[in-house]
Amino acid sequence: MTIQESSRARSAEGDDSAASGLGALEAVVGPTRSVVVADVAQEIADLVRERPEAILGLATGGTMVELYAELVRLHRDEGLDLSRVTTFNLDEYLGLDEGDANTFRSFMEEHLFEPAELDRARTNFPDSTRAATDPLAASREYEDAIAAAGGIDLQLLGLGRNGHIGFNEPGSLRESRTRVLTLAARTREDATGTFGALADVPTAAITVGVATILEARRVCILAFGERKAEVVLRTVTGDVGPEVPSTFLRGHADAVLHVDTAAASQLFGR
Ligand code: F6R
């Protein structure tokens, strides 16, 4: 069961969100990560059962591991059929060899595509190889592919500690589209654990833009643990703007932030 501490988290300055034309971001706090994950996985399962050819926007990263494991469990134990969904991942590093264990495609293969038996012909990533030589064409092609599929039904998002969504680092505009950019120092530091050494972490990536994300019909943002508490607070109550790109989610009509109590620890009781 989800504890809905406050269905609508308050803006720091009270009700100024309405005046600025921005809705508040709904924050749902679950008692544990597993409860949050079960809720979000159930929403995805309900969508796919109702619409087997749903278009899903997917994220990678530690936050998603347990969620994908739950989807795999639903596939194995409860017959959830993901073979007809189309997926678009948010981003991909530049400069890694195809098949490198640190590519986001490898991550998705391991955690979801292979164990949940997705149709690989329906899985999409921005083309990081092409992006290295022709970033504009690679970016345009990805935007076109998402549009041709009919847009994203449900977009999953994690939160970078600096407020990035996808790899829309601080400075990213609300109007930004798929593009190649350099990764923030903090983002590269956070990826060091996966790569082993900071020097091995790519310096650039291709990511869908903030505007691309905001066009998804529904957005589910997940954040877990104490280390995300500050960015959760800033996302929900800080000034909306490029300094913390996740704040732009407050302009989305159907976005929900799912957090555990640790990630919500700075949010409530203020
Ligand atoms: C990953 C992505 C990133 C992550 C974010 C959180 O595809 O786009 O925005 O969602 O960096 O990463 P974790 O979950 O590892 O804390």
Side-chain angles (χ1 to χ4, degrees):
M1 201 178 84
T2 303
I3 300 169
Q4 200 141 349
E5 289 238 20
S6 159
S7 63
R8 294 258 153 197
R10 286 171 298 119
S11 153
E13 290 82 34
D15 203 16
D16 65 337
S17 51
S20 64
L22 287 166
L25 184 60
E26 184 179 356
V28 179
V29 187
T32 64
R33 180 191 286 233
S34 309
V35 169
V36 176
V37 159
D39 267 4
V40 177
Q42 196 54 55
E43 175 174 343
I44 297 167
D46 289 347
L47 169 68
V48 172
R49 287 198 168 107
E50 190 186 312
R51 198 172 167 225
E53 298 188 344
I55 314 293
L56 304 178
L58 301 179
T60 59
T63 309
M64 297 296 145
V65 170
E66 211 175 307
L67 175 64
Y68 294 151
E70 177 60 8
L71 286 176
V72 170
R73 191 195 68 75
L74 290 171
H75 169 68
R76 284 201 186 123
D77 299 348
E78 298 182 21
L80 177 66
D81 181 5
L82 292 162
S83 67
R84 287 159 65 196
V85 300
T86 294
T87 64
F88 287 92
N89 265 78
L90 285 165
D91 39 21
E92 185 57 277
Y93 290 118
L94 260 62
L96 299 181
D97 292 335
E98 213 174 298
D100 186 304
N102 284 314
T103 65
F104 288 156
R105 182 176 279 284
S106 296
F107 176 98
M108 294 307 304
E109 276 296 328
E110 177 187 347
H111 293 285
L112 187 69
F113 295 169
E114 203 272 322
E117 301 181 272
L118 272 77
D119 176 0
R120 306 309 196 280
R122 296 173 196 251
T123 60
N124 299 277
F125 289 79
D127 186 342
S128 57
T129 307
R130 183 154 161 79
T133 53
D134 195 343
L136 293 183
S139 302
R140 197 177 49 240
E141 279 166 15
Y142 205 55
E143 288 282 337
D144 289 349
I146 293 171
I152 307 283
D153 291 316
L154 174 63
Q155 176 68 58
L156 295 175
L157 286 182
L159 282 184
R161 287 191 302 143
N162 62 3
H164 74 210
I165 47 175
F167 274 143
N168 291 283
E169 301 285 24
S172 297
L173 300 179
R174 194 203 171 289
E175 297 74 24
S176 59
R177 289 284 171 185
T178 302
R179 66 205 186 286
V180 170
L181 43 63
T182 52
L183 296 172
R186 202 168 183 191
T187 298
R188 295 187 64 239
E189 274 162 34
D190 282 350
T192 305
T194 325
F195 282 85
L198 183 60
D200 296 331
V201 181
T203 54
I206 178 167
T207 181
V208 301
V210 175
T212 325
I213 289 170
L214 293 179
E215 279 172 3
R217 286 179 275 282
R218 164 101 172 145
V219 182
C220 288
I221 310 125
L222 282 77
F224 299 126
E226 178 72 43
R227 58 194 287 279
K228 296 292 174 77
E230 189 192 339
V231 71
V232 163
L233 176 69
R234 294 184 82 190
T235 299
V236 175
T237 68
D239 289 342
V240 174
E243 203 189 320
V244 183
S246 54
T247 56
F248 288 123
L249 295 164
R250 295 193 350 234
H252 194 283
D254 194 10
V256 185
L257 174 61
H258 291 274
V259 286
D260 61 2
T261 47
S265 57
Q266 293 186 30
L267 197 54
F268 296 106
R270 284 160 44 85

